[in-house]
Amino acid sequence: MSEAHADTATRLLIGGHWLPSSTGQTFLTRDPSTGNALREIAEASPGDVDAAVAAARAAMNDPAWSGLPRRQVSQLLWRLADLIEADADAIARLETSDNGQPFEVSRNVTIPGTVEHLRYFAGWATKIEGRTAPMSDPNVFHYTRREPVGVCALILPWNFPLMITAWKLAPALACGNAVILKPAEQTPLTAVRLAELCQEAGFPAGVVNLLTGGPSVGKRLVEHNDVDKVSFTGSTDVGREILRTSAGNFKRVTLELGGKTPMIVARDADIDAAVTGTVQGALFNSGQVCAAYSRFYVDSARSDEFVEKVAAQAAAVRLGPLISDEHRSSVDGFVRRGVAEGAELVTGGKPVAGDGYFYEPTVFAGVRDEMSLARDEIFGPVIPVLTYDDPDELVGRANDSAYGLAASVWTKDLVTAHRLAASVKAGAVFVNMLHVPDPAAPWGGFKASGIGREMGAYALDAYTEIKGVFMNLATEES
């Protein structure tokens, strides 16, 4: 941890200044791999929220930001990416201690993904354009402008804290907004470091603000009448509350919520590739991925082979810890419920003894559609296998879920792949591959998995307002 970070980890960034909480309150974060306390963090007060919102509003009204040439906005984002890349090892270690991600994941997935998103949207900063449209009156010229939404509250999850921050921060800044970062209370440390680097990159004061604390901080941001936009990644229940709370001033809202991703294994699938895809897609980051493959529909003719191979591979995987003891208890509760409902526990199924919040990779066979294993988001290293005989019934079963974030299809038949991709209700469908988002592709869900899209050109819609301008071209003679 750098000296600068050690000095600011217990402080809030408001209007370019690192400040303690106005009440002096703090909270502890813990290392999920040991359960030991990591650091004391500032607990933002309602007054701190108001101050951060005011600072962001002032930045929106300051020509130092609102009048900054677009090429310089692009340069700032690129410089931020360079700074992260230059400090990659230290930031990755920070993410690992804060979140529990294995260092290989933090260093080789989180850091490159963060850098890539910043550079992708650095390119968009100079390409945000309007359109012209012919009017019914030939004497009227019409064009559109994309303008920043304004003050954006970015409320972040704990499972990929740094990378998902970049998913929101990069397009928000590229579009000219001012932001308030509110990291999850479990994982604030890389958000603190990112805010430091935003200052070092040269973003004007107040453009990037940071508030740490619990749910009350997020709630006050969502209900604040001078916040124009909320972007949230997290649970569906909290997403519903955000929609209700944000209605006061009709905030623009983007929600990326829960998932229960179906993975369909056709009879003709390369079973070994599907098994490897299952283990990686279900157990990556210990299953703490919103789009994790989490219910597996396997042709009954291949199910025994599939289960046997998945169980063998899964049992050999060494996982990182879950985020907290509370979350580990929740995962274990789902496992116990699955056993009670009659699913066959093939391997795993209990917490790992010793320090930290580890849980065994767990495989179930004989799962039925009505079981909680097949319906509820577990967010842990659990693989429930269901079987099917009639492909015509498969789509209905896969779509019988409150969620619709992602889906996966494994088949050698191009017709089957396209038919299922078109029929499954999900924001993203991955055919014969892992669930790997890309900065250039839209990301978001159907149904209870959210509202709106992040990434790609679609993210510009989330962080801009469209203004139409009508010009009278008629002369007095006409």
Side-chain angles (χ1 to χ4, degrees), residues 344-359:
E344 177 192 351
L345 179 60
V346 180
T347 191
K350 63 182 183 296
V352 176
D355 295 336
Y357 312 129
F358 296 86
Y359 201 88

Side-chain angles (χ1 to χ4, degrees), residues 65 68 70-85 114-126 128 165-166 168-177 194 197-198 201-203 207-208:
W65 179 239
L68 194 67
R70 304 307 302 167
R71 68 180 181 279
Q72 291 182 240
V73 175
S74 178
Q75 289 165 2
L76 287 173
L77 285 165
W78 198 275
R79 191 176 304 144
L80 177 59
D82 287 346
L83 290 170
I84 293 170
E85 199 167 55
T114 299
V115 168
E116 189 176 7
H117 275 81
L118 290 167
R119 288 178 176 159
Y120 175 81
F121 283 102
W124 268 116
T126 57
I128 299 171
T165 300
K168 302 177 187 300
L169 180 68
L173 296 179
C175 293
N177 299 282
L194 180 62
L197 294 178
C198 286
F203 285 95
V207 172
V208 178

Side-chain angles (χ1 to χ4, degrees), residues 18-58:
W18 288 97
L19 305 169
S21 168
S22 59
T23 62
Q25 290 186 312
T26 61
F27 63 97
L28 280 175
T29 60
R30 294 189 177 276
D31 183 338
S33 67
T34 63
N36 295 333
L38 265 179
R39 189 149 190 88
E40 204 170 21
I41 302 295
E43 175 79 39
S45 70
D48 296 326
V49 175
D50 294 343
V53 172
R57 179 61 62 197

Side-chain angles (χ1 to χ4, degrees), residues 299 403 424:
D299 188 291
Y403 301 108
V424 174

Side-chain angles (χ1 to χ4, degrees), residues 130-145 466-473:
R131 297 180 179 179
T132 62
M135 299 289 100
S136 55
D137 183 342
N139 291 316
V140 174
F141 173 66
H142 179 271
Y143 65 93
T144 62
R145 292 169 48 88
I466 305 297
K467 177 185 287 182
V469 179
F470 297 76
M471 302 288 292
N472 181 9
L473 303 181

